Amino acid sequence: MNNPFKQIRWVLTAIALLAVGMKLAVAHEQETGVEVKPVREEKLANVPGQSLTAITVNYAPGGKSSPHQHAGSVFAYVLTGAIKSENSATGPAKVYRAGESFFEPEGSKHLISENASATEPASLLAVFVAADGAQLTAFDTAASATPAGQDLAHQILETMIQVHGVKAGHRPVHAKGIVCEGTFTPSADAATFSTAAHFQKASVPVTVRFSDGVPELAIPDNSPDAGPRGMAIRFELPGGEETDIIAMSHNGFVVGTGEEFLALQKSIVATDPSKPHQWPVEAFVASHPRALKFVVDNKVIPASFATEAFFSNDAFIFVNKDGLKQAGRYEILPVAGQHDLSDAEAKAKPADFLFDDLKTRLANGQVKFRLVVQLPNTGDPKSDPSLVWPDDRKTIEVGTISITSAVADSAATEKSLAFDPANLTDGIDLSDDELPALRSEVYALSVKYRHQTQPAQTSTASATANSK
Ligand code: HEM
């Protein structure tokens, strides 16, 4: 790939392919008093590529969903109460009572779906026949458009969950992950740098989640689209307090502000690769050189999570016992050294190799990282995490993260884990970099979203990655 224009085109094609398909996720805010429970899911051996999924939908009195569209075809059978339904293909609104059924053909819109009673509950069984892994419910974008005046955090999350590949019940980014345990041991210098409890003498337990960067649960680890990798760390402090660091494998974030991040997400959602170039996401990246660098750099596949370096990108303020304040950004550097794979080496790897490799390493010993804080020179930009400070800047070694094991049930553990970039502790403060506070709001909305939505299907690859 010597022609740089060809390479850029290839890179843009790759990110755009991630962006489309328009399989929208369920935004729970668009359902009031509606509870969806999975019943059964089976791949149809007689219809390759199609699955049958049965769910029950319980409507509280007055419960309703806003207009939406389903993947595939749907058969609905009212179990209890009375449900008012209108489908764009099958005629005007009608009330269906227990024992009655209706059908929604593929491509039709479910315009009304509500409990006909304001006093009695109602329920139905719905059976979908749809493509394997399809997002079963997509709310009408016009109906669900971000209300005017909605704050930036809501707008970002609402847009993120529309990106192709996002699965209900899972993180909209960094979906494929593995949860590990270990300890953090502070260096001799840490206590003079900050009064943070984990920077004092004793070691503290840590929970660490490594991840591929994209929404797809089944992304092969050797895909050039799987990056950046994530490393999220929770330090358990004396007295039951906790503090987090959330880092990724790229030094320099894709954009510098929340507004730009929203614009990037919107450009991804608006991209349809069946349309001629230049796609919205191509236009965004072409006009944001640091985003282009981010995309190109993240195509490189690491040899192991244990040989990857991770960066907070965001700056924080470290306060010492004399009240002295010092800005800094975290670098989490592998003790085993940083190693990437060549294209040929990457192609030869199996889909879950990063996860398998980590488990093998942990079976044979600890995986260690140095926790370092990079300090800016006077004049270095501290508020924009897309602007990287040069490598020659001073660093302070604050300790060692020693990972000892993967947790027994990573898939269940990661569901309840909710990292927060603004979950700090005395001795570490937010800086004039505004992203961690905004991210904190977006992550909280994301956690709410994934806890309120039901997973449509568990990815085989991810389930394998998590359970081995
Ligand atoms: C505007 C900026 C950003 C937004 C809106 C954003 C949004 C999100 C969201 C919504 C999640 C899922 C949270 C959950 O459901 O638990 C997430 C996860 C994650 N983000 Fe960000 N993010 C941003 C910037 C960053 C940066 C700067 C980094 C690191 C340098 C980062 C690293 C990660 C990682 C590693 C995860 C997975 C955490 C886990 O393992 O649970 N993000 N992000």
Side-chain angles (χ1 to χ4, degrees):
M1 200 146 345
N2 295 327
N3 178 341
F5 294 106
K6 236 176 152 181
Q7 184 178 8
I8 289 168
R9 169 65 64 207
W10 174 80
V11 163
L12 294 178
T13 304
I15 47 169
L17 283 174
L18 277 180
V20 291
M22 298 300 131
K23 295 191 294 179
L24 304 189
V26 177
H28 202 77
E29 283 75 7
Q30 286 132 348
E31 296 176 321
T32 314
V34 177
E35 188 193 23
V36 176
K37 286 191 177 159
V39 176
R40 193 174 185 102
E41 180 165 356
E42 294 290 345
K43 288 197 171 175
L44 297 174
N46 57 330
V47 196
Q50 297 281 308
S51 292
L52 180 150
T53 309
I55 58 169
T56 53
V57 186
N58 295 311
Y59 297 79
K64 58 162 81 172
S65 302
S66 53
H68 55 268
Q69 194 163 357
H70 295 298
S73 308
V74 190
F75 166 76
Y77 181 80
V78 180
L79 298 169
T80 56
I83 288 165
K84 186 172 175 186
S85 175
E86 179 178 357
N87 180 282
S88 60
T90 56
K94 192 180 155 191
V95 174
Y96 298 86
R97 300 186 187 281
E100 295 179 334
S101 63
F102 56 90
F103 180 66
E104 297 186 66
E106 181 162 26
S108 62
K109 281 198 167 188
H110 201 175
L111 300 168
I112 297 177
S113 170
E114 62 188 41
N115 190 341
S117 166
T119 54
E120 298 294 328
S123 63
L124 60 74
L125 172 77
V127 180
F128 296 77
V129 176
D132 295 341
Q135 188 70 51
L136 296 179
T137 302
F139 282 92
D140 189 308
T141 40
S144 67
T146 307
Q150 194 177 56
D151 69 34
L152 184 58
H154 277 86
Q155 292 182 52
I156 289 175
L157 199 268
E158 295 278 323
T159 312
M160 286 178 83
I161 62 176
Q162 292 182 35
V163 171
H164 171 57
V166 173
K167 281 237 183 277
H170 293 276
R171 288 163 175 76
V173 286
H174 295 273
K176 179 179 176 183
I178 178 169
V179 183
C180 301
E181 291 170 327
T183 54
F184 170 73
T185 307
S187 71
D189 290 340
T192 48
F193 183 57
S194 160
T195 56
H198 55 311
F199 286 5
Q200 310 313 306
K201 276 192 183 140
S203 294
V204 297
V206 290
T207 302
V208 176
R209 181 173 182 270
F210 291 99
S211 54
D212 286 331
V214 289
E216 283 81 1
L217 278 165
I219 189 82
D221 301 338
N222 57 346
S223 161
D225 300 324
R229 271 77 202 176
M231 182 178 184
I233 310 160
R234 171 151 297 166
F235 301 83
E236 287 162 42
L237 307 179
E241 211 197 328
E242 294 167 338
T243 184
D244 298 345
I245 296 175
I246 306 175
M248 66 165 60
S249 57
H250 194 260
N251 192 7
F253 193 48
V254 62
V255 290
T257 65
E259 285 79 7
E260 280 182 325
F261 190 80
L262 176 60
L264 169 62
Q265 295 298 312
K266 283 186 171 169
S267 79
I268 294 172
V269 170
T271 293
D272 177 351
S274 68
K275 300 267 165 61
H277 297 285
Q278 186 184 40
W279 299 330
V281 69
E282 291 176 327
F284 183 92
V285 173
S287 60
H288 292 77
R290 290 191 292 279
L292 178 59
K293 180 177 181 337
F294 184 92
V295 171
V296 173
D297 290 353
N298 280 318
K299 298 288 161 194
V300 177
I301 318 273
S304 165
F305 281 125
T307 62
E308 183 61 287
F310 297 88
F311 305 86
S312 68
N313 293 327
D314 286 309
F316 296 90
I317 300 290
F318 298 85
V319 189
N320 76 6
K321 61 177 184 348
D322 301 321
L324 204 74
K325 295 183 175 180
Q326 166 70 61
R329 291 173 173 167
Y330 292 109
E331 297 182 349
I332 305 164
L333 306 174
V335 169
Q338 196 177 350
H339 302 293
D340 295 324
L341 299 179
S342 67
D343 285 353
E345 287 169 332
K347 278 198 184 98
K349 292 287 183 188
D352 295 330
F353 85 93
L354 285 178
F355 293 78
D356 294 339
D357 165 85
L358 187 61
K359 287 171 204 154
T360 307
R361 284 175 190 255
L362 290 172
N364 294 308
Q366 301 189 353
V367 168
K368 296 192 178 196
F369 293 86
R370 292 162 50 216
L371 182 63
V372 165
V373 178
Q374 187 191 27
L375 310 181
N377 277 3
T378 310
D380 284 345
K382 295 192 279 290
S383 61
D384 182 337
S386 70
L387 296 171
V388 176
W389 300 338
D391 281 345
D392 66 1
R393 297 301 185 251
K394 193 180 165 196
T395 55
I396 303 274
E397 195 88 26
V398 287
T400 304
I401 297 159
S402 305
I403 298 169
T404 48
S405 60
V407 303
D409 190 349
S410 177
T413 310
E414 71 177 12
K415 279 200 172 75
S416 55
L417 260 179
F419 292 98
D420 176 352
N423 183 17
L424 306 178
T425 188
D426 285 354
I428 304 173
D429 288 341
L430 292 173
S431 69
D432 56 2
D433 176 343
E434 290 173 358
L435 269 200
L438 173 69
R439 287 172 63 197
S440 177
E441 288 181 61
V442 180
Y443 286 45
L445 292 170
S446 172
V447 171
K448 189 174 157 205
Y449 158 79
R450 60 183 164 87
H451 286 169
Q452 288 181 337
T453 52
Q454 299 292 331
Q457 177 171 322
T458 306
S459 143
T460 318
S462 173
T464 313
N466 282 325
S467 65
K468 271 187 212 162

